[in-house]
Amino acid sequence: SILRPDRRSPGTFPQARILLNPCFAEGIKGLKMLIQSETFHEVNHHARSLTCWPQEYDQLTAGRFEGYLQDVHFDSVRLFRERMNQGVAQHTHTPAGQIALLVPIHLDGSKTSDQARNVLADGITLLPCDEDFFFVGPPDTDYSVISLQQDQLHDLLSDEDYDTLLSARRSHGIQVKPEWLSQVRSTLMSLLQELNSNDEQLSEQQTAQKEKALRDRLVLMALDIYSGSLDSHPLHRSARPLGNQHHYLVRRCHEYALSDEGATASVLDICKQLGIARRTLNYSFAKVTGTSPAQYLRAVKLNAARRQLLTSNLPVTAVAANYGFFHTGYFSQEYRRLFGETPTATRAGRVKG
C-alpha cells in the first residue's frame, strides 16, 4: 500500500510520477499512502515536481542549485517538506478545496520582515486557498506544509472540529512561543522519519493501522494550530494578516519584468511605469528580498531566459535579447555567475536529456 523509492536508486523516485499521479490517487483500490522523495540540481525541475501545486521558482543567489523534496499523501492529508540551498522566489497557486499551513524548519529572517516576506520565520503561516501566493525564501530555506482535503475531512472529524477548520483564518501568520514551535518542528521531523521506516515486517492490517495513526496525528496538529487563529481562542491576538505594500510592489515589479512590455525595462523604467520613487522601490526590495531591485530583477530575467533555453530552439543571442541582454558576452557572464554553467551548457544538457 506504500510506494517507496526504487532500491537501485536510494532516495529517488525515478518512476513515481509515471506509476501514479497523486492528483488521481483517490479511489484506487488498496492505495493507503504514497511517498515521494527526490533531490534536484535544477530549480525548474524542483518547482515542477510538486504535483497538483502549480509553481514557478526563480533562483536568486549564485551557485549550483540543490533542492530536496519529501512528499507524503494520505487519502485526505498531505505533508511535504522542501529544502533549497539557494535563495528562491516562489510563485505558486494554492489548490482549491485545501486547508494548508506552513511550518518553517529553518528560515533566516534577519534581512527581511515577516510581514513583507509573506511567510513567518518563527511562526506558523496559514496559507490562502485557491489563490496565487508569492514569497522569497533566503538561502538554506527549509519548511514543511500540511495540507488537508476539505471535502474529505467531514468523515474524519466531529461537526465542531470540522467547523473550526472551515472558519479559521487564511493568509495569516500566527506568532507562537519558541518552545511550542520547536515541539511542532520535532513532531513533523519524527513523522517524516516514521514514514520512511521499513514496514516489511508489518502485516497489511498493521501497516493500515500505522498509516491511520500518522494521518490522525497530522490532522490533530492542524486542528491545534487552526484553533489558535479563531477569535474565541486566546492565541487569536497573535494571528495577523500577511503581506503589505512592500510585498505588493515587489510582486508587481516581478510580474512587470516578465511581461512583454517590461522584459527589457530598466529599474528607472519600472519606477516610471508603476509610479513609485526609486527610494521607495529600494526599501521595498530590501524588506521583501534582502537585495536591491537591480540584482533581483536581473536574476528574475536570467531565470526566464533559462526556461526559454530549456523549452525553445531560439538561438542564445535571441533568448538574451528577449530579456534585455543585448551584449551576449555580458549575458553569458551573468548567467554563468548565477547558475554555475554557460547558456550553451544549459541548452546542451537539455538536448542530452
Side-chain angles (χ1 to χ4, degrees), residues 2 21 35 48 53 67 85 92 118 120 196 199 215 225 227-228 243 247 265 275 324 352-353:
I2 302 176
N21 186 329
I35 303 176
R48 292 196 300 269
W53 284 63
N85 70 325
T92 186
N118 212 29
L120 295 189
N196 272 335
D199 290 335
R215 181 202 65 187
I225 293 170
S227 296
H247 181 267
K352 288 179 182 178

Side-chain angles (χ1 to χ4, degrees), residues 196-225:
N196 272 335
S197 63
N198 193 331
D199 290 335
E200 291 182 357
Q201 303 303 318
L202 299 181
S203 67
E204 184 175 346
Q205 181 180 6
Q206 289 172 328
T207 299
Q209 290 171 341
K210 173 186 174 180
E211 292 169 4
K212 180 182 181 301
L214 294 173
R215 181 202 65 187
D216 288 354
R217 284 169 66 186
L218 282 171
V219 174
L220 285 171
M221 181 185 295
L223 268 172
D224 286 342
I225 293 170

Side-chain angles (χ1 to χ4, degrees), residues 3 41 87 108 233 347:
L3 179 60
H41 298 292
D108 181 5
H233 195 280
R347 175 65 59 77

Side-chain angles (χ1 to χ4, degrees), residues 268-282:
L268 292 177
D269 294 332
I270 291 174
C271 289
K272 179 68 175 177
Q273 176 67 25
L274 301 183
I276 52 178
R278 184 177 60 85
R279 184 170 61 178
T280 301
L281 191 69
N282 287 341

Side-chain angles (χ1 to χ4, degrees), residues 172-244:
H172 273 63
I174 302 180
Q175 294 286 356
V176 296
K177 292 182 179 180
E179 55 269 24
W180 190 86
L181 181 60
S182 177
Q183 182 180 355
V184 170
R185 289 166 170 162
S186 177
T187 300
L188 286 175
M189 295 303 98
S190 175
L191 278 168
L192 288 168
Q193 287 181 355
E194 287 185 56
L195 290 165
N196 272 335
S197 63
N198 193 331
D199 290 335
E200 291 182 357
Q201 303 303 318
L202 299 181
S203 67
E204 184 175 346
Q205 181 180 6
Q206 289 172 328
T207 299
Q209 290 171 341
K210 173 186 174 180
E211 292 169 4
K212 180 182 181 301
L214 294 173
R215 181 202 65 187
D216 288 354
R217 284 169 66 186
L218 282 171
V219 174
L220 285 171
M221 181 185 295
L223 268 172
D224 286 342
I225 293 170
Y226 276 104
S227 296
S229 75
L230 299 176
D231 290 337
S232 59
H233 195 280
L235 284 178
H236 85 275
R237 293 180 181 176
S238 71
R240 63 187 186 193
L242 293 173
N244 57 16

Side-chain angles (χ1 to χ4, degrees), residues 76-178:
S76 57
V77 182
R78 184 176 192 177
L79 170 64
F80 63 85
R81 179 186 183 185
E82 288 192 87
R83 186 171 65 235
M84 286 162 272
N85 70 325
Q86 300 294 346
V88 175
Q90 303 187 28
H91 280 84
T92 186
H93 188 92
T94 55
Q98 300 280 328
I99 299 170
L101 59 90
L102 184 151
V103 179
I105 307 302
H106 177 268
L107 201 162
D108 181 5
S110 61
K111 294 183 178 180
T112 55
S113 73
D114 287 343
Q115 195 77 8
R117 189 189 318 106
N118 212 29
V119 168
L120 295 189
D122 294 301
I124 309 296
T125 301
L126 310 181
L127 298 174
C129 176
D130 196 18
E131 291 182 16
D132 292 336
F133 182 74
F134 164 69
F135 85 99
V136 176
D140 298 317
T141 290
D142 185 354
Y143 61 82
S144 290
V145 171
I146 302 173
S147 179
L148 310 177
Q149 185 69 34
Q150 183 175 309
D151 60 2
Q152 296 183 33
L153 287 175
H154 196 272
D155 295 334
L156 299 177
L157 303 175
S158 68
D159 290 342
E160 182 178 347
D161 286 339
Y162 185 68
D163 291 341
T164 293
L165 288 176
L166 292 189
S167 57
R169 289 183 170 96
R170 305 288 184 269
S171 301
H172 273 63
I174 302 180
Q175 294 286 356
V176 296
K177 292 182 179 180

